[in-house]
Amino acid sequence: MVASNPSGSAPSSFDPWEPILAAIVLGLERALTTLGVLATADAVREGLDVEGGPEGDIAFPVHRWAARAKQRPEEFAAQIASAVPASPDVGSVSAKGAYVNFTVEPSVLVSATLEGAIGLGTRWGTRPDTGGEASVEHTSANPTGPLHIGRVRNSIIGDTFARILRAAGTKVTTQYYVDDMGRQAAQITWIWAKPRSEWPDTVRAAVEGLEVPGEKPDQYRGRPYPAVSAYLKDHPEARAEVAGVLGAVERGSPPPEHRPLAQSVLDGMLVSLARLGIRFDEFVWESDFVKDGSVARVLDSLRRAPHAVREENGAWAIDTSGYGLPKDSNRVVVERSDGTSLYVTRDIAFHLQKFGRFARVIDVLGADHLLHARTLEALLAEVGEARRPEFVLYAYIHAPEGGKMSTRAGTAVYLDDLLEEAVARARKEVLQRREDLGAADVERIAEAVGTGAIRYHVIRVAPDKPVVFRWEDALSFEGRSGPFLQYSYARASSVLRKAERDAGPYPFDAARLTDREELALVRVLSRFPRTVAYAARTAHVHAVAGYAHDVADQFNRFYHAVPVIRSGAERESRIALVAATRQTLGNALDLLGVPRLDSM
RNA sequence: GGGCGCGUAGCCUAGCUUGGAUAGGGCACCGGGUUCCUAACCCGGCGGUCGAGGGUUCAAAUCCCUCCGCGCCCGCCA
């Protein structure tokens, strides 16, 4: 039989397990009814263990049903097993202990999975447009210097989640909230607006000799920051100048250099993110909410909010005692005594704008912003907004020597340094293995391997797990790593290339794929749609990383266990299996932002 | 002090949302595998009181309570 595109009968939300599960649920429903126990399809479905157990693909623990039938579980399981009517989708039904185990008819799963993967191509594992629109705000790092790897966890989680949501049928707009109103941004403007001759000696000394022609503007502009910060500590007159810049920004009339400086630093940061495949649909400037009057409108409604309080010095606050915020004070100041706004206030304006445009508003935030998130929710309630953002929180990456990554303390590990190191190491590996390649190909592969290693290293761990950065782990190209996935993808590509079957079609005979490792591979592949849906629903982006490793792992076992090109009657079917693997692994790599490589 | 999160072999980690049979991987270590489709690979071995205690349940890594350790936060900063 020839692989056909099943999208005609079932739209691209295609899960090979659905018909099988439906048959099992129906069988169990009938069996239970026969045995005198009332069962709804939903209740049966709920009790099904779709990950299976040691005895089959799908397991059904019968304890609660046995209790209802007043039977011993072991006996009841046996009764159910013999009462389940035969179905072509289900291979075997058996009872073991208190469990009824179902084993699928392999050819059914093989056909459905290969047809899904090959027929749907890049749409395999995805769902059609569900009509939902979401904003995913991520990164949003202050444009004051190069990104460090702790910050990049935000970017990688956010970008990956955006990709997964798109695969799940949601229209996503990624947003970078550019904070040009912070003290650090004011410090950048303060120092760079002066001619170099007027810089404090300590600051000039700190940058001298480090500047290299052609370096990225975030590196160039951000370099004085630690020295500036130290200088300001004991120079009150300079502090007053910075405060002047900040005040002008807050009043909506920043110095002319302010925005261009922030923009140039941002441009430098974006160059590095682009190497990781991270780009943004929109940039939203915090100061614009002051300029366009929306912050003033927010302040207006906050002053009339149910729990608004006027402080003695004229500042406005919200009494948050009814919201149970975990803070010592039960007040949140929303307007300073000088009439200017604060970060939370502006964030309200931003969120009101988001709610006006998107059905779902998703914010990727470091765990240190949890209180901010709770405060935001309280203040949204105060201004009469019923909707709330969804927060994806992640724990920080700690410096190799422990503690927070800090630019000022010099403990930060910068993305640019990590990129350089990873790509250099990848280059070395490529050169060792491939004497046949030209310089351009070596470089292309090294870049893909180095950046892929970084993305995978960060995304493989659950977001709420605190991580200590270790160079040797981040630069690992073996085992559970990005390059291992890329290598497996390249290996699958290589097989297809050598078989001169790069493009398909991929006809197969499901009955020819009976080897243990072949069927194990099909089972892994068949889980792809379920995995994508799970990751989209729970924001457990790392589930896709674990899944991709499972695919690569089982593919390599298969590869070593059975020949493909040199096989006989199974050849066509095995080629199709390799093609399905390549498609699945490729789609998973796309979701992770790890570059595909056809050879390495 | 309060709130939130984390704790799974020497190290890293999955599973916890929705309780289910023998807790999956990776690194390191030990022993094997390349005249054969890419050895960034594969096979075998070693290694676990799932932080501790209690509770719920036929059944707990998973749910509840207490405690311990670690992290983050508690500003008219962002």
Side-chain angles (χ1 to χ4, degrees), chain A residues 140-148 151 176 178-193 218 221-230 232 238-239 241-247 249-250 255 257-259 261-263 265-266 269 285-286 336 343 346 368-369 396 404-409 412 414:
Chain A
S140 301
N142 295 357
T144 53
L147 288 161
H148 64 65
R151 280 292 182 187
Y176 188 126
V178 189
D179 176 10
D180 55 341
M181 297 191 66
R183 180 159 287 129
Q184 270 191 57
Q187 287 178 16
I188 297 275
T189 297
W190 175 75
I191 193 74
W192 286 102
D218 53 335
R221 300 287 187 194
R223 190 167 289 119
Y225 170 67
V228 166
S229 179
L232 290 172
R239 272 208 303 277
E241 287 179 37
V242 172
V245 174
L246 196 55
V249 172
E250 278 162 356
E257 303 90 345
H258 191 66
R259 179 99 160 220
L261 278 167
Q263 180 70 60
V265 176
L266 179 62
M269 298 158 76
W285 290 74
E286 185 173 347
R336 293 195 186 93
Y343 175 69
R346 293 169 225 134
D368 55 339
H369 280 60
Y396 257 53
K404 278 183 90 167
M405 283 199 186
S406 156
T407 301
R408 254 180 304 185
Y414 291 97

Side-chain angles (χ1 to χ4, degrees), chain A residues 35-87:
Chain A
L35 296 171
V37 179
L38 229 58
T40 65
D42 285 348
V44 170
R45 182 70 183 253
E46 190 96 342
L48 228 46
D49 183 354
V50 296
E51 298 300 329
E55 305 289 331
D57 294 303
I58 305 288
F60 186 65
V62 305
H63 308 86
R64 76 187 82 228
W65 303 96
R68 214 176 291 179
K70 300 203 161 66
Q71 298 258 359
R72 287 187 40 229
E74 293 76 10
E75 280 165 19
F76 200 57
Q79 289 173 30
I80 294 174
S82 51
V84 171
S87 156

Side-chain angles (χ1 to χ4, degrees), chain A residues 457-468:
Chain A
H457 176 68
V458 172
I459 206 65
R460 61 198 270 261
V461 184
D464 41 14
K465 210 98 161 176
V467 169
V468 176

Side-chain angles (χ1 to χ4, degrees), chain A residues 456-539:
Chain A
Y456 193 84
H457 176 68
V458 172
I459 206 65
R460 61 198 270 261
V461 184
D464 41 14
K465 210 98 161 176
V467 169
V468 176
F469 182 86
R470 307 243 185 259
W471 281 97
E472 63 271 28
D473 293 345
L475 296 174
S476 164
F477 294 169
E478 288 164 15
R480 200 153 138 52
S481 73
F484 171 58
L485 306 184
Q486 293 171 310
Y487 179 77
S488 306
Y489 182 86
R491 174 173 262 177
S493 299
S494 169
V495 170
L496 297 177
R497 198 162 50 236
K498 291 248 164 79
E500 297 183 346
R501 298 294 297 285
D502 263 322
Y506 299 108
F508 65 90
D509 178 353
R512 296 277 184 198
L513 297 173
T514 54
D515 185 90
R516 201 170 68 99
E517 302 297 350
E518 288 171 339
L519 295 178
L521 181 53
V522 168
R523 284 188 165 86
V524 175
L525 299 183
S526 72
R527 287 184 357 230
F528 185 51
R530 188 201 305 171
T531 304
V532 175
Y534 168 82
R537 181 168 54 84
T538 59

Side-chain angles (χ1 to χ4, degrees), chain A residues 441-456:
Chain A
D441 280 331
V442 170
E443 209 44 44
R444 178 180 54 82
I445 294 171
E447 177 76 13
V449 169
T451 58
I454 294 171
R455 267 197 89 131
Y456 193 84

